[in-house]
Amino acid sequence: MSETKIYEYVWLDGFQPEPSIRSKIKATEDDVPPEWSFDGSSTQQAEGGSSDCLLLPVQTYDCPLFSDYLVMCQVQTGEHETHPSNTRAAAEIVADEWWFGFEQEYFFTNKDGSPLGWEDGTPRPQGDYYCGVGSENVQGREISEAHLEACLDAGIQLTGTNAEVALGQWEYQCFGHGLKAADDLWMSRYLLYKIAEDFGVGVNIHPKPKTGDWNGSGMHTNFSNEEMRSKGSEELFKSMCEKLGEVHQEGISSYGSDNDMRLTGLHETQSIDTFSYGVSDRGASIRIPIYTIEHDWNGYLEDRRPASNADPYKIIAHIVGTLT
Ligand code: MG
């Protein structure tokens, strides 16, 4: 008799403008996670009269927490058709030669929704918090570190973390190839929410949780393909920036809701209505990193427009769809 395994199925619901993450657990002797179903009428993915939706496993990860495996799924209708909420399906054009590095920014929050460290009112102005140390400058470090360790144990390539510009705000960088890069980012978010639960803390990925002179949260997206990495030229990189500029509004519509609150032209952003690119320019829509220049125009680009709440499937579908 084979051993029972605990699979934790993770999927995206039908909420708009961005989906939330859902999960449920299956204990089975199956050696691979089987197709499964759920009640789509409870996730805005079906009507009550015909409520079954299907979960198709697409990536399996070792689970560093309670269960044995985390199973990233995409959703189908009960008739085995691509569900309208399934943004992953449109990203299937993204080949493994495309590499992505997502810089996920977020805030840890108290039960009342205020950022960690803001319990006694508005903290000192920004200045000391970015990459800071000491409890007056940093809040939630132990959660960020537990999350990093869990992602690495799961085989998700986090390449770094840092305390961000506002108190209670953090970033991690998540790297991957092709469509799996976006699967990994969604699973890393799932692990972040779940680990924060253990600390009685929430996670807020809204792009501007605090108005005023406080940085918002983005998800700068670094990307490259084979040509950019090894056969690059100034002409190639600038033509890619120009192409993305021609469809700027379409990009913005794929890069997360409420992004107008963040892309104001202040706080290291370009205004949402303007497209620009430039070498080392953190006030541009797209930054050409100094790394790329120093390697004689071989390297990557950084799209600084995506918001922290953006769906990575939509981001990569937009970038690759525009540039191929
Ligand atoms: Mg950052």
Side-chain angles (χ1 to χ4, degrees), residues 299-315:
Y300 63 98
L301 287 170
E302 179 193 36
D303 194 334
R304 297 179 59 81
R305 296 170 294 169
S308 44
N309 59 356
D311 175 349
Y313 295 134
K314 286 190 177 180
I315 298 175

Side-chain angles (χ1 to χ4, degrees), residues 127-175:
D128 297 327
Y129 309 126
Y130 171 73
C131 297
V133 66
S135 55
E136 70 279 23
N137 295 327
V138 177
Q139 293 282 321
R141 187 192 300 280
E142 66 279 25
I143 317 173
S144 163
E145 289 174 351
H147 173 250
L148 170 65
E149 201 163 38
C151 286
L152 294 177
D153 287 348
I156 297 171
Q157 202 175 344
L158 259 54
T159 59
T161 70
N162 58 273
E164 265 300 340
V165 175
L167 183 61
Q169 189 187 29
W170 285 83
E171 169 178 319
Y172 63 87
Q173 299 100 36
C174 186
F175 176 81

Side-chain angles (χ1 to χ4, degrees), residues 200-262:
V201 163
V203 174
N204 185 339
I205 63 168
H206 189 273
K208 195 75 175 183
K210 284 289 171 185
T211 53
D213 204 11
W214 298 96
N215 273 47
S217 297
M219 192 161 71
H220 300 156
T221 300
N222 301 279
F223 62 92
S224 66
N225 63 10
E226 186 63 43
E227 189 180 18
M228 294 164 77
R229 290 189 295 272
S230 58
K231 295 188 272 302
S233 63
E234 180 171 357
E235 191 187 5
L236 173 74
F237 275 82
K238 290 191 169 167
S239 75
M240 286 179 148
C241 291
E242 297 285 344
K243 274 187 199 162
L244 286 164
E246 283 165 21
V247 289
H248 174 62
Q249 283 311 327
E250 191 186 308
I252 290 297
S253 68
S254 300
Y255 284 178
S257 62
D258 290 338
N259 207 8
D260 55 315
M261 297 173 69
R262 163 182 165 260

Side-chain angles (χ1 to χ4, degrees), residues 15-250:
F15 279 66
Q16 295 290 333
E18 277 83 32
S20 308
I21 308 174
R22 307 284 178 140
S23 73
K24 63 175 183 166
I25 283 179
K26 184 184 220 27
T28 172
E29 291 179 1
D30 290 6
D31 288 328
V32 292
E35 187 181 303
W36 203 12
S37 60
F38 68 98
D39 167 16
S41 71
S42 298
T43 60
Q44 300 204 356
Q45 284 164 307
E47 301 298 328
S50 167
S51 64
D52 277 354
C53 288
L54 302 175
L55 291 173
L56 266 77
V58 294
Q59 304 280 354
T60 302
Y61 305 83
D62 289 334
C63 182
L65 308 176
F66 165 73
S67 53
D68 294 318
Y69 299 100
L70 298 165
V71 183
M72 190 71 206
C73 298
Q74 61 180 338
V75 176
Q76 286 191 333
T77 66
E79 292 75 43
H80 282 276
E81 279 162 8
T82 300
H83 194 277
S85 67
N86 180 355
T87 52
R88 188 182 192 275
E92 277 171 355
I93 54 162
V94 179
D96 284 350
E97 68 147 327
W98 287 91
W99 296 359
F100 301 94
F102 297 108
E103 302 175 25
Q104 174 73 65
E105 295 179 333
Y106 62 94
F107 283 79
F108 286 125
T109 58
N110 297 298
K111 291 262 189 305
D112 66 359
S114 63
L116 277 196
W118 296 54
E119 299 79 20
D120 303 323
T122 304
R124 307 186 314 284
Q126 293 184 164
D128 297 327
Y129 309 126
Y130 171 73
C131 297
V133 66
S135 55
E136 70 279 23
N137 295 327
V138 177
Q139 293 282 321
R141 187 192 300 280
E142 66 279 25
I143 317 173
S144 163
E145 289 174 351
H147 173 250
L148 170 65
E149 201 163 38
C151 286
L152 294 177
D153 287 348
I156 297 171
Q157 202 175 344
L158 259 54
T159 59
T161 70
N162 58 273
E164 265 300 340
V165 175
L167 183 61
Q169 189 187 29
W170 285 83
E171 169 178 319
Y172 63 87
Q173 299 100 36
C174 186
F175 176 81
H177 295 179
L179 187 54
K180 185 171 184 296
D183 294 332
D184 289 0
L185 196 272
W186 273 117
M187 193 57 83
S188 74
R189 285 179 176 172
Y190 177 72
L191 285 169
L192 183 63
Y193 284 108
K194 201 167 168 185
I195 289 166
E197 275 179 29
D198 287 342
F199 290 84
V201 163
V203 174
N204 185 339
I205 63 168
H206 189 273
K208 195 75 175 183
K210 284 289 171 185
T211 53
D213 204 11
W214 298 96
N215 273 47
S217 297
M219 192 161 71
H220 300 156
T221 300
N222 301 279
F223 62 92
S224 66
N225 63 10
E226 186 63 43
E227 189 180 18
M228 294 164 77
R229 290 189 295 272
S230 58
K231 295 188 272 302
S233 63
E234 180 171 357
E235 191 187 5
L236 173 74
F237 275 82
K238 290 191 169 167
S239 75
M240 286 179 148
C241 291
E242 297 285 344
K243 274 187 199 162
L244 286 164
E246 283 165 21
V247 289
H248 174 62
Q249 283 311 327
E250 191 186 308

